[in-house]
Amino acid sequence: MAARSSSRSSAKDRPSYRCTECGWTTAKWLGRCPECQAWGTIEEYGAPAVRTTAPGRVTSAALPIGQVDGRQATARSTGVDELDRVLGGGLVPGAVVLLAGEPGVGKSTLLLDVAAKAASDEHRTLYITGEESASQVRLRADRIGALSDHLYLAAETDLSAVLGHLDSVKPSLLVLDSVQTVASPEIDGAPGGMAQVREVAGALIRASKERGMSTLLVGHVTKDGAIAGPRLLEHLVDVVLHFEGDRHARLRLVRGVKNRYGATDEVGCFELHDEGITGLADPSGLFLTRRDEPVPGTCLTVTLEGRRPLVAEVQALTVDSQIPSPRRTTSGLETSRVSMMLAVLEQRGRISALGKRDIYSATVGGVKLSEPAADLAVTLALASAASDTPLPKNLVAIGEVGLAGEVRRVTGVQRRLAEAARLGFTHALVPGDPGRIPDGMRVLEVADIGDALRVLPRRRERGDKARGDKARAGAEDQG
């Protein structure tokens, strides 16, 4: 009798699962309800009550926030100005930074350079590599000049060995390349698995907080560009950085995605070359082509990468198509945005020659323009290529173009104009009410695409020629 009652109580305490759509019940959780075929509707119910945790001893007394010493979180420079810009001034003691990027983009090269420049008599640096041997890292350090007596190097893939190096070296900065290659013998699973990544990251974060040691973790990315491993990894670390760049171009961008110590819209610009990687305080020169005379199909714009304005060049080329379906090829621009601008030009700008021609559009220097502020420059470059007429020299175009042909306002117009004026540009096309205009720059406010297309010289010449032909015809009639 007692056994029967105990079995009843255990069955009663066992949790059940029920579909919130149709009410179907089951003893196990399923992702899809077999009854109504709905996804994610099965929830647990009837589970035993959760026991609460009793209050325990506190590790440190709570203080008024004004009495908390903030000097312990003072940032220390990494020696790389562009990286300091993204980090918010440098590395904070105890901070854990996750740097992710595609293979071959330059993550290891950048962090090895940072490890060498941050090492000093008072601050040792420990570089742990799990993907290469120590001799291979030494060859790269010789090539880029990243040698220091206070930079320690070790090749380890065991978490316990990494923690042992921390006890022996006592570094102020730890660089781990990469977090997916280190595994804990206490956890089942291969290196790089979710359980292993969670355990390795958690152990290193605890060590960083206890020792006041800054940590730089290299993370892999999936084929979709997302950081590999559990999303919990991004929640645990203090800073998440994305290393971006086309492997066929020299430009590399370090973009802040999460930052507990600074802004998340900062971008650091770097140039990758044979001698290593260097920061670019003024990267606009990579995105421009210097010419003595303007060329049809080119237009300049000013884009904002984070808070940094960059002058970029948009190029377009139109040729007669040899196939029934004309080509539409883009590089560095969003194909959907370019298609929208072509439709606006044809319908609102009355340019009908684009529909039957092959159209190629691209940016210079490997920069990618995705913000709507480049719409006006793309539109003018396409119109200039279609009419085979160059735009005026020293002209930049800034503005978003709507489907009705209107030119809309964008953010940061004053910063964009100030950057264009600094580089010597004297004329600008902007939406209405641009704010303060830099000295020496002439700004033309345009309300729609028709106003913007009037800057094309050929359109004015056609109008003048038409008026001249009409006047001559009238004079001949009177004669």
Side-chain angles (χ1 to χ4, degrees), residues 70-78 84 87-93 214 261:
R71 293 174 296 179
Q72 298 180 0
T74 303
R76 183 170 66 93
S77 174
T78 62
D84 289 344
L87 293 174
L91 288 171
V92 175
S214 302
Y261 311 109

Side-chain angles (χ1 to χ4, degrees), residues 60-267:
S60 60
L63 298 175
I65 191 170
Q67 299 180 12
V68 177
D69 187 7
R71 293 174 296 179
Q72 298 180 0
T74 303
R76 183 170 66 93
S77 174
T78 62
V80 180
D81 294 338
E82 289 298 307
L83 186 59
D84 289 344
R85 174 199 292 267
V86 184
L87 293 174
L91 288 171
V92 175
V96 180
V97 180
L98 177 63
L99 177 65
E102 295 183 355
V105 74
K107 304 183 299 296
S108 301
T109 303
L110 174 63
L111 293 187
L112 183 58
D113 183 50
V114 170
K117 291 182 177 179
S120 62
D121 296 337
E122 300 177 354
H123 302 283
R124 294 181 179 180
T125 301
L126 176 60
Y127 190 101
I128 301 291
T129 175
E131 301 178 347
E132 304 170 278
S133 63
S135 58
Q136 290 174 328
V137 177
R138 169 60 194 270
L139 290 177
R140 185 189 303 115
D142 290 334
R143 178 171 56 87
I144 67 176
L147 296 177
S148 174
D149 294 336
H150 305 284
L151 171 59
Y152 293 79
L153 176 62
E156 297 288 352
T157 57
D158 188 272
L159 177 60
S160 59
V162 173
L163 297 177
H165 283 295
L166 296 182
D167 292 334
S168 60
V169 178
K170 295 180 174 57
S172 298
L173 172 62
L174 169 66
V175 179
L176 179 63
D177 187 11
S178 64
V179 68
Q180 278 86 5
T181 59
V182 178
S184 172
E186 306 296 331
I187 303 297
D188 296 333
M194 290 191 178
Q196 288 287 357
V197 170
R198 186 183 298 111
E199 176 65 21
V200 171
L204 293 178
I205 290 173
R206 289 192 298 270
S208 299
K209 304 301 181 183
E210 293 172 358
R211 301 169 182 266
M213 172 189 65
S214 302
T215 302
L216 293 172
L217 303 177
V218 177
H220 296 169
V221 296
T222 62
K223 61 182 180 180
D224 298 328
I227 299 177
R231 198 62 184 264
L232 178 66
L233 179 61
E234 300 179 50
H235 290 284
L236 290 176
V237 299
D238 301 306
V239 182
V240 178
L241 305 179
H242 272 281
F243 205 178
E244 306 172 358
D246 186 358
R247 64 175 56 200
H248 302 293
R250 297 180 298 170
L251 178 67
R252 298 291 187 269
L253 298 179
V254 176
R255 192 184 307 274
V257 178
K258 171 188 175 182
N259 193 348
R260 290 173 176 167
Y261 311 109
T264 57
D265 57 353
E266 280 289 358
V267 174

